[in-house]
Amino acid sequence: MYRTHNCGELRVQDKGKKVTLAGWVQKARKLGGMTFIDLRDRYGITQLVVEAEAPEALVEAATSLGREYVIQATGEVVERQAKNAKIPTGDIEIKLECINILNKSVTPPFTIEEESDGGEDLRARYRYLDLRRGPLQRALALRHKVAHETRNYLDSLGFMEIETPYLIKSTPEGARDFVVPSRMNPGQFYALPQSPQTFKQLLMVAGYDRYFQIVRCFRDEDLRADRQPEFTQIDCEMSFVEQEDVLNTFEGMMRTLFKNVLDVEIPNPIPRMSWYDAMDRYGSDKPDIRFGMEIHELTAAAQGRGFSVLDQAGYIGGICVPGASEYTRKQTDELTEWVKRPQVGAKGLIFIKVNADGSFKSSIDKFYAPEDLAKIAAAADAKPGDLILILSGDNKRKVQTMLGVLRIEMGNRLGLRHPKEFAPLWIVDFPLLEWDDETQRFYAMHHPFTAPKPEHEKWFYSDKKEDLERVCANAYDFVLNGTELGGGSIRIHNADMQKRMFEVLGIGPEEAEYKFGFIINAFKFGAPPHGGLAFGFDRVCALFGGQDSIRDYIAFPKNNQGRDVMIDSPSAIDDTQLDELQIALKLKAE
Amino acid sequence: MYRTHNCGELRVQDKGKKVTLAGWVQKARKLGGMTFIDLRDRYGITQLVVEAEAPEALVEAATSLGREYVIQATGEVVERQAKNAKIPTGDIEIKLECINILNKSVTPPFTIEEESDGGEDLRARYRYLDLRRGPLQRALALRHKVAHETRNYLDSLGFMEIETPYLIKSTPEGARDFVVPSRMNPGQFYALPQSPQTFKQLLMVAGYDRYFQIVRCFRDEDLRADRQPEFTQIDCEMSFVEQEDVLNTFEGMMRTLFKNVLDVEIPNPIPRMSWYDAMDRYGSDKPDIRFGMEIHELTAAAQGRGFSVLDQAGYIGGICVPGASEYTRKQTDELTEWVKRPQVGAKGLIFIKVNADGSFKSSIDKFYAPEDLAKIAAAADAKPGDLILILSGDNKRKVQTMLGVLRIEMGNRLGLRHPKEFAPLWIVDFPLLEWDDETQRFYAMHHPFTAPKPEHEKWFYSDKKEDLERVCANAYDFVLNGTELGGGSIRIHNADMQKRMFEVLGIGPEEAEYKFGFIINAFKFGAPPHGGLAFGFDRVCALFGGQDSIRDYIAFPKNNQGRDVMIDSPSAIDDTQLDELQIALKLKAE
């Protein structure tokens, strides 16, 4: 070893010890005749000191050091005169006897500090330098810890981690599959898995009972902000279980992770909310329940006063923004513009200010007398000082969704979304099916293998559209602070029920055989009842770290064009390689 | 839950309990009026019994059960009359009150037993059924355990598991890279990593100090028996270490795995052998030291008796096969044919039988008097009863390698290679460079980033071929029972030394920049001294399980043509997919 101790562990109790440290020069500065060097490694920073009266060679060596030089330094642990309470090693320094330069460094293109002066692109290009910074070191340490605790928890419950293949088969609707040409089988391709869904269900057929895997998944889709072409899931499946068993098992996992990684106690039990309630109250299937500002339906209270916009609406809803009754005209105008942006899509915004004295001021004063406004305010459960924001429209779910987006925005503006506060939630009772007006058919809200709730089976076998619409699925999402972290379902294991599902979805026997034949065939050999879920591991880590973006929680992420700018990938390959694979480029004209 | 207990946990102490089990019908048989059912799950087998006087519906249900039906069964734990000592649940059975058929099964294409009646191809096609069998269940459970213990050990030493990308860049000598066309970057390709070597070295540059990853690797090569296009490595790297630190760290890991997974104590310390010794004594850089039969050089002892084959040989070596002096002519002829096969490549085989009475019988009696044979036998350290097998040739290493192959064969034939006996070994002091006569240049034996041993640096900077030939590398392999399970090296972290390495390898500055520019550039920013190694995880698992083949230790392996016959992959993809990727097939005529 090049060191006796790391740069984070020496304390005043080690006074008098002769030690050797190794690491990177964070900074070196002269003060009087002395040289002070901050030496950094993954474990911390320790101050080294070369005294004015030290041998000339040593003073010279210390003077020659540049930022990010790698050195080995030997000396005695001494107590500092001027202590630094900000770092754990701040009570001591090392009085150097020897410096060995292990490697020099050219000047890095940006500062390696908590806050770097480098722009995002530059830091991405030199990711290996950005990764030296404290925030990224802590992010990856957190990620390791979350993975390790996840494995320990699941192992303790008898889950087996089983690796599923990465070179699989492109599925018929695999437009978003990455494919891999096979040299040994010319003209044929593997596909990279979007998830191990099929394989984990096969493992249940194979009797593995409790499976998990922390596994890479791949999706060749246009990348929205903060999506990655390769991402990691905690993928799980269990046999002989009902929904309650799955929820309890993974509630326990999240509780353990919060406790062991963050020392945070989350609510016990984690609250559950039906999909219907979530939409009605929060306008979202992944509500942030760290703050209230719930949606209230105002349809009855607001109609019948001759204001056609509202009178003709199918649904009217509002939220009460606390303490915002003093908003200026400029502020309410800005909010109106905000909801009219295409990302929200509202036609306009109605507001009612509930003044501290109980009086009202609204954008609809022309149509509504104070007692009418009072009625609406009562329906909105508004309090003095509140600003009621109201949206309306034909489609209830659409209006609720807009109100949900507005609610999150107001939560952000009011600082109600504390990153270190954690409000987990299960969303349950999803509709099994979604009717699409355009194609006049049902689609599976989760996927075609999701089972209906047993008590709704009577409707599932009904031919009436309104019956089918009210069938709930044994499906569930784990939501944290307004982000969906995971989701899953109890699967259909019964051939007759699966047949009915395909029938409802308008998938004929041939199409079913073509698309799903392989798994349907496996299910003929005694599939057990089973269900599971998957968590988005990158996002779990980011939220545990109190961050929105997953990028800092992935060691080597790709940018929004799917490029790794550090290694400059993807890139052209040799003609010989193309030739061996027996494929050719066929680039379209722009 | 569909069960109160699993099929492996009930004991005679549970007598009288009312329980519900769920699982697969292993078999059901009538005996008198009673029906006995063996119910199986991952945890074991429990016998269920339906008595003759049970309600008719129950008897009927029991009678209707077929192999691999999935059932839920409720009843009382009772002590068996006829106990079965072979299974842990053999003292009890469940007197059934109720059977609920959860799923029927069509008749499986082969028996789901310890030893199946299905052929290899059929079992591969129905892998999910083969995976129900005991040997595969135990293999995957072992794999999970090895992975889990590996992670616990490395975590306890401060190693961080860091995921490196799977979509990387094809390297210039990437003929064996799988590539992935990028839809968003038409004409460009990602490559799947053959190993995370570059990334783990970058993580050292980034200061992560101790990295590991259990990671998938990909290699598009013609598959020899028991190679897989995707395989798993335990990949590790450490900073500020010397070879001794790496060896000690991973010796500790293997010791922990043997202890915690198999309850086996391996030698402490694990023996080390130089590459030169391994070649001289075992004719292999991965010797199986569970048995002796070492190679002895017989050049001096055997030459000078006028037998031109030996007199003109550059090297003569032999092994003593104990107890084989009684081999018949037929047996020695067969051995001669065996070494002449192209896989071994010897021109012939000379033998000397050392009879129990001390007399000799050899294939070279014409040229060698008994006292000559005695001299050879003494050089071979032969004992009465031994059969000395002798090979010769121009090239010492080639002859030794043939003798090494012959030695393993004799070890197999004599049953000296017990699968449950474990003889680990470090091979160290590999030559840094290999001279190639054809191209008249040196090649790196490991890779161009492997560091020479510090004490050999004087030769490394010499211009003499014989000096360069004797430079040893700080490289090491972990060998178990004749199989290389892992290997690695201390890397060059110094720019001047790296430059010298390229010079020695005849790689000019431009070629170096083109091939390795990216990593060389990263190294300019303060690379720490570092080194590491990687273990072949599939093979570690197989050897721990006492098996030669890795196939049963991978849940969904591919066959020798790189095909997954279960999902029928690789396969053709749609024209629309090709079109989106802007590539076309360009199949060569056969």
Side-chain angles (χ1 to χ4, degrees):
Chain A
M1 287 292 274
Y2 283 72
R3 65 190 175 209
T4 57
H5 296 76
N6 66 48
C7 295
E9 65 181 311
L10 291 168
R11 299 287 181 276
V12 78
Q13 296 89 308
D14 298 301
K15 201 164 64 176
K17 279 188 191 159
K18 180 142 170 193
V19 300
T20 301
L21 303 185
W24 287 262
V25 174
Q26 178 76 26
K27 60 181 173 198
R29 59 201 184 285
K30 285 244 172 201
L31 207 68
M34 295 162 85
T35 311
F36 293 93
I37 302 156
D38 280 355
L39 192 68
R40 187 194 73 232
D41 67 10
R42 187 184 113 194
Y43 311 94
I45 285 181
T46 297
Q47 179 166 290
L48 316 177
V49 58
V50 175
E51 299 189 314
E53 56 273 24
E56 202 177 332
L58 181 57
V59 174
E60 255 172 46
T63 310
S64 77
L65 298 177
R67 266 167 57 205
E68 302 303 319
Y69 274 39
V70 183
I71 66 168
Q72 184 183 35
T74 300
E76 189 190 328
V77 181
V78 297
E79 193 166 354
R80 277 209 219 177
Q81 299 284 320
K83 298 202 165 66
N84 178 353
K86 285 186 199 150
I87 56 172
T89 62
D91 288 354
I92 58 100
E93 61 192 8
I94 315 296
K95 197 176 129 188
L96 287 197
E97 291 154 26
C98 172
I99 291 176
N100 177 15
I101 297 179
L102 298 172
N103 228 337
K104 295 183 178 184
S105 172
V106 298
T107 306
F110 48 83
T111 54
I112 315 285
E113 306 271 357
E114 282 290 303
E115 294 286 335
S116 173
D117 62 357
E120 201 170 317
D121 286 350
L122 192 65
R123 286 188 288 116
R125 201 127 42 89
Y126 294 91
R127 181 72 173 180
Y128 47 88
L129 297 180
D130 205 23
L131 282 170
R132 286 185 187 166
R133 297 196 305 116
L136 278 90
Q137 296 251 340
R138 291 191 296 275
L140 293 190
L142 177 91
R143 186 179 176 107
H144 166 71
K145 176 90 171 150
V146 175
H148 198 66
E149 292 289 341
T150 299
R151 289 191 161 101
N152 282 342
Y153 175 81
L154 291 172
D155 176 75
S156 76
L157 292 184
F159 281 80
M160 276 166 62
E161 185 160 26
I162 300 175
E163 292 165 72
T164 53
Y166 283 129
L167 295 173
I168 64 161
K169 185 178 178 151
S170 194
T171 50
E173 48 319 6
R176 303 189 305 177
D177 284 342
F178 281 109
V179 298
V180 182
S182 166
R183 189 172 51 83
M184 288 176 69
N185 303 272
Q188 301 193 326
F189 294 75
Y190 302 100
L192 301 178
Q194 294 184 31
S195 88
Q197 182 71 31
T198 306
F199 289 96
K200 73 174 171 175
Q201 293 195 243
L202 286 179
L203 286 169
M204 294 302 105
V205 173
Y208 284 79
D209 205 73
R210 294 180 163 210
Y211 145 92
F212 84 101
Q213 192 182 185
I214 299 186
V215 62
R216 207 72 54 86
C217 302
F218 304 86
R219 208 164 289 177
D220 186 14
E221 61 189 347
D222 297 320
L223 300 169
R224 285 184 274 145
D226 219 31
R227 287 262 191 145
Q228 290 281 322
E230 49 177 317
F231 54 97
T232 303
Q233 277 186 357
I234 307 172
D235 191 50
C236 308
E237 197 79 7
M238 309 169 75
S239 288
F240 301 115
V241 289
E242 286 150 311
Q243 172 170 304
E244 195 61 26
D245 306 307
V246 179
L247 295 188
N248 288 337
T249 302
F250 293 96
E251 183 157 333
M253 183 176 100
M254 291 312 289
R255 189 179 317 290
T256 303
L257 291 181
F258 272 105
K259 183 68 194 157
N260 293 0
V261 177
L262 297 178
D263 198 23
V264 163
E265 302 277 357
I266 55 170
N268 190 1
I270 291 175
R272 296 183 191 182
M273 193 181 291
S274 81
W275 181 87
Y276 296 91
D277 271 2
M279 291 305 298
D280 287 346
R281 293 170 54 192
Y282 297 96
S284 170
D285 57 4
K286 39 180 194 280
D288 185 344
I289 57 167
R290 282 175 298 183
F291 65 105
M293 223 190 281
E294 292 187 20
I295 296 169
H296 294 272
E297 171 156 14
L298 309 174
T299 319
Q303 285 186 334
R305 308 264 36 105
F307 180 42
S308 65
V309 169
L310 293 188
D311 283 0
Q312 287 164 18
Y315 172 88
I316 305 166
I319 58 173
C320 298
V321 184
S325 69
E326 318 249 310
Y327 269 27
T328 61
R329 174 65 186 267
K330 195 176 154 199
Q331 283 176 298
T332 52
D333 281 356
E334 187 270 330
L335 270 183
T336 306
E337 288 313 307
W338 193 88
V339 299
K340 284 162 91 173
R341 298 181 320 145
Q343 294 93 321
V344 188
K347 293 219 179 81
L349 177 68
I350 292 166
F351 64 84
I352 303 173
K353 293 175 176 172
V354 186
N355 296 319
D357 62 4
S359 68
F360 301 99
K361 176 86 191 84
S362 84
S363 57
I364 48 171
D365 283 353
K366 208 178 353 165
F367 297 93
Y368 291 77
E371 56 270 27
D372 299 327
L373 296 175
K375 199 174 137 203
I376 297 175
D381 201 17
K383 306 204 167 23
D386 281 1
L387 172 70
I388 311 174
L389 299 175
I390 298 168
L391 295 176
S392 66
D394 292 337
N395 183 303
K396 171 176 155 180
R397 295 295 180 218
K398 272 193 190 154
V399 177
Q400 286 174 338
T401 301
M402 291 178 198
L403 282 165
V405 174
L406 179 59
R407 174 181 172 270
I408 291 295
E409 173 68 13
M410 297 315 295
N412 284 335
R413 293 189 184 194
L414 271 58
L416 301 175
R417 306 184 72 205
H418 310 292
K420 301 282 175 187
E421 188 188 331
F422 298 100
L425 177 70
W426 287 110
I427 302 294
V428 294
D429 296 347
F430 283 80
L432 181 70
L433 304 160
E434 270 181 310
W435 179 260
D436 181 60
D437 271 329
E438 205 171 312
T439 52
Q440 288 285 307
R441 48 160 281 201
F442 279 110
Y443 288 85
M445 195 151 177
H446 250 71
H447 57 61
F449 297 100
T450 299
K453 291 184 92 68
E455 58 270 34
H456 291 187
E457 279 181 32
K458 54 183 183 296
W459 297 325
F460 182 61
Y461 287 96
S462 155
D463 284 334
K464 292 190 194 138
K465 181 169 164 240
E466 60 270 28
D467 281 342
L468 287 166
E469 272 179 323
R470 59 178 165 168
V471 178
C472 281
N474 258 332
Y476 31 79
D477 276 357
F478 183 89
V479 170
L480 180 70
N481 296 0
T483 298
E484 181 206 320
L485 284 189
S489 64
I490 298 296
R491 326 299 180 185
I492 298 172
H493 67 277
N494 170 300
D496 285 340
M497 185 181 281
Q498 190 65 59
K499 210 171 134 193
R500 171 62 185 159
M501 185 58 146
F502 289 141
E503 191 179 275
V504 169
L505 298 176
I507 299 175
E510 275 142 53
E511 188 184 351
E513 172 63 28
Y514 176 63
K515 284 191 173 171
F516 310 110
F518 163 67
I519 184 97
I520 294 170
N521 200 39
F523 272 41
K524 287 179 189 155
F525 293 95
H530 63 288
L533 85 181
F535 289 94
F537 180 61
D538 306 304
R539 203 156 292 285
V540 168
C541 294
L543 261 74
F544 269 56
Q547 299 290 321
D548 282 333
S549 168
I550 60 176
R551 199 151 303 171
D552 284 353
Y553 291 81
I554 297 172
F556 300 101
K558 297 189 174 53
N559 72 9
N560 284 346
Q561 284 77 50
R563 296 198 70 82
D564 182 329
V565 295
M566 179 186 75
I567 57 173
D568 189 27
S569 163
S571 61
I573 58 173
D574 287 352
D575 284 343
T576 39
Q577 261 177 295
L578 289 172
D579 203 47
E580 274 204 337
L581 296 168
Q582 304 189 34
I583 58 172
L585 302 184
K586 200 178 147 189
L587 299 180
K588 293 172 193 164
E590 286 296 309
Chain B
M1 288 292 274
Y2 283 73
R3 64 188 175 210
T4 57
H5 296 77
N6 66 47
C7 295
E9 64 180 311
L10 291 168
R11 299 287 182 276
V12 77
Q13 295 89 309
D14 298 300
K15 200 164 66 175
K17 279 188 192 159
K18 181 143 170 189
V19 300
T20 300
L21 302 184
W24 286 262
V25 173
Q26 177 77 24
K27 61 181 171 196
R29 60 204 182 283
K30 287 246 174 198
L31 206 68
M34 296 162 85
T35 311
F36 292 93
I37 302 156
D38 280 355
L39 193 67
R40 185 195 73 231
D41 66 12
R42 187 184 112 194
Y43 310 94
I45 285 180
T46 298
Q47 178 164 293
L48 316 176
V49 58
V50 174
E51 299 189 313
E53 55 273 21
E56 202 178 329
L58 181 59
V59 174
E60 255 171 44
T63 308
S64 77
L65 299 177
R67 266 166 57 205
E68 302 303 318
Y69 274 40
V70 184
I71 66 168
Q72 183 183 35
T74 301
E76 189 188 326
V77 181
V78 297
E79 192 167 353
R80 277 207 218 178
Q81 298 284 318
K83 300 203 164 66
N84 177 355
K86 285 186 199 150
I87 56 174
T89 62
D91 286 355
I92 58 99
E93 61 193 4
I94 315 296
K95 198 176 127 190
L96 288 196
E97 290 153 28
C98 174
I99 291 177
N100 177 15
I101 297 178
L102 298 171
N103 228 338
K104 295 184 179 182
S105 170
V106 298
T107 306
F110 48 82
T111 53
I112 315 285
E113 306 271 358
E114 282 291 303
E115 294 285 337
S116 174
D117 61 356
E120 201 170 316
D121 287 350
L122 193 65
R123 286 187 290 115
R125 201 128 43 87
Y126 295 91
R127 182 72 173 180
Y128 48 85
L129 296 181
D130 205 22
L131 282 170
R132 285 184 186 166
R133 296 195 305 116
L136 279 91
Q137 297 250 337
R138 291 191 296 274
L140 293 190
L142 176 91
R143 185 178 177 108
H144 165 72
K145 176 91 171 150
V146 175
H148 198 66
E149 293 289 340
T150 299
R151 288 190 161 101
N152 282 342
Y153 175 81
L154 292 172
D155 176 76
S156 77
L157 292 184
F159 281 80
M160 276 167 61
E161 185 160 26
I162 301 176
E163 292 164 72
T164 52
Y166 283 131
L167 296 173
I168 64 162
K169 184 176 177 152
S170 194
T171 48
E173 46 320 3
R176 304 189 304 177
D177 284 343
F178 281 109
V179 297
V180 183
S182 164
R183 190 172 51 82
M184 289 177 69
N185 303 275
Q188 301 192 329
F189 294 74
Y190 302 99
L192 301 179
Q194 293 183 31
S195 89
Q197 181 71 30
T198 307
F199 289 96
K200 74 174 172 177
Q201 293 195 243
L202 286 180
L203 286 170
M204 294 303 104
V205 173
Y208 284 80
D209 205 74
R210 295 181 162 207
Y211 144 92
F212 83 101
Q213 192 182 186
I214 300 186
V215 62
R216 207 73 55 85
C217 302
F218 303 86
R219 207 164 290 175
D220 185 14
E221 62 189 346
D222 297 319
L223 301 168
R224 286 184 273 144
D226 220 32
R227 288 261 191 145
Q228 291 281 319
E230 49 177 316
F231 55 98
T232 303
Q233 275 186 359
I234 306 172
D235 191 51
C236 309
E237 196 80 7
M238 308 169 76
S239 287
F240 300 115
V241 289
E242 286 151 312
Q243 171 170 304
E244 195 61 25
D245 305 307
V246 179
L247 296 187
N248 288 337
T249 303
F250 293 96
E251 183 156 334
M253 182 176 101
M254 292 312 289
R255 188 179 317 290
T256 304
L257 291 180
F258 272 105
K259 182 68 196 159
N260 293 1
V261 176
L262 296 178
D263 199 21
V264 163
E265 303 277 359
I266 55 170
N268 189 1
I270 290 175
R272 297 183 189 180
M273 193 182 288
S274 81
W275 180 87
Y276 296 90
D277 271 1
M279 291 306 297
D280 286 345
R281 292 168 55 193
Y282 297 96
S284 169
D285 57 4
K286 41 181 193 282
D288 185 345
I289 56 168
R290 282 174 298 182
F291 64 103
M293 224 191 281
E294 293 187 20
I295 296 169
H296 294 272
E297 172 158 11
L298 308 174
T299 317
Q303 285 185 335
R305 305 258 47 98
F307 181 41
S308 66
V309 169
L310 293 189
D311 283 357
Q312 288 163 18
Y315 173 89
I316 305 167
I319 57 172
C320 299
V321 185
S325 69
E326 316 252 309
Y327 269 27
T328 61
R329 175 68 185 267
K330 196 175 152 198
Q331 283 174 298
T332 52
D333 281 355
E334 187 271 331
L335 270 183
T336 306
E337 288 313 307
W338 193 88
V339 298
K340 286 162 89 174
R341 297 182 321 143
Q343 295 92 322
V344 188
K347 293 218 180 84
L349 178 69
I350 292 167
F351 64 85
I352 304 173
K353 293 176 178 172
V354 187
N355 297 319
D357 62 4
S359 67
F360 300 99
K361 176 86 190 83
S362 84
S363 58
I364 48 172
D365 283 353
K366 206 172 0 161
F367 298 94
Y368 292 79
E371 56 272 28
D372 300 326
L373 296 175
K375 197 174 140 206
I376 298 175
D381 201 17
K383 308 209 164 21
D386 282 0
L387 172 70
I388 311 173
L389 299 176
I390 298 168
L391 295 177
S392 66
D394 293 336
N395 184 302
K396 171 175 156 180
R397 296 295 180 216
K398 271 193 192 155
V399 178
Q400 285 175 338
T401 302
M402 291 177 200
L403 282 166
V405 174
L406 178 59
R407 173 181 172 270
I408 291 295
E409 173 68 13
M410 297 317 293
N412 284 334
R413 292 189 185 194
L414 269 59
L416 301 175
R417 306 184 71 207
H418 310 292
K420 300 284 175 185
E421 190 187 330
F422 298 100
L425 177 70
W426 287 109
I427 302 294
V428 294
D429 297 346
F430 283 80
L432 181 70
L433 304 159
E434 271 182 310
W435 180 260
D436 181 58
D437 272 329
E438 205 170 313
T439 52
Q440 288 285 307
R441 49 161 282 203
F442 280 110
Y443 288 85
M445 193 149 179
H446 251 70
H447 56 60
F449 297 100
T450 299
K453 291 185 93 66
E455 59 271 33
H456 291 188
E457 280 181 31
K458 54 184 185 295
W459 297 324
F460 182 60
Y461 287 95
S462 156
D463 284 333
K464 293 191 193 135
K465 181 169 164 239
E466 60 270 28
D467 280 343
L468 287 166
E469 271 179 326
R470 59 180 164 165
V471 178
C472 281
N474 258 331
Y476 30 80
D477 276 356
F478 183 89
V479 171
L480 180 69
N481 296 359
T483 298
E484 180 207 321
L485 285 188
S489 64
I490 299 296
R491 327 299 179 183
I492 298 173
H493 67 277
N494 171 299
D496 286 339
M497 185 181 282
Q498 189 65 60
K499 209 172 135 191
R500 170 65 185 157
M501 185 59 149
F502 288 141
E503 192 180 275
V504 169
L505 298 176
I507 299 176
E510 275 143 54
E511 189 183 352
E513 173 62 28
Y514 176 64
K515 283 192 174 171
F516 309 109
F518 163 68
I519 184 98
I520 294 171
N521 202 38
F523 272 42
K524 287 180 189 154
F525 294 94
H530 62 288
L533 84 180
F535 289 94
F537 181 60
D538 305 304
R539 203 156 292 284
V540 168
C541 294
L543 260 74
F544 269 57
Q547 299 289 321
D548 283 331
S549 168
I550 62 176
R551 199 152 302 171
D552 283 353
Y553 291 80
I554 297 171
F556 300 101
K558 296 188 175 50
N559 72 10
N560 284 346
Q561 284 76 50
R563 296 198 69 82
D564 182 330
V565 295
M566 180 186 75
I567 58 172
D568 190 27
S569 164
S571 61
I573 59 174
D574 288 351
D575 285 343
T576 39
Q577 262 177 291
L578 290 172
D579 203 48
E580 274 203 338
L581 296 169
Q582 305 189 33
I583 58 173
L585 301 184
K586 198 176 148 190
L587 299 180
K588 293 172 192 163
E590 285 298 306

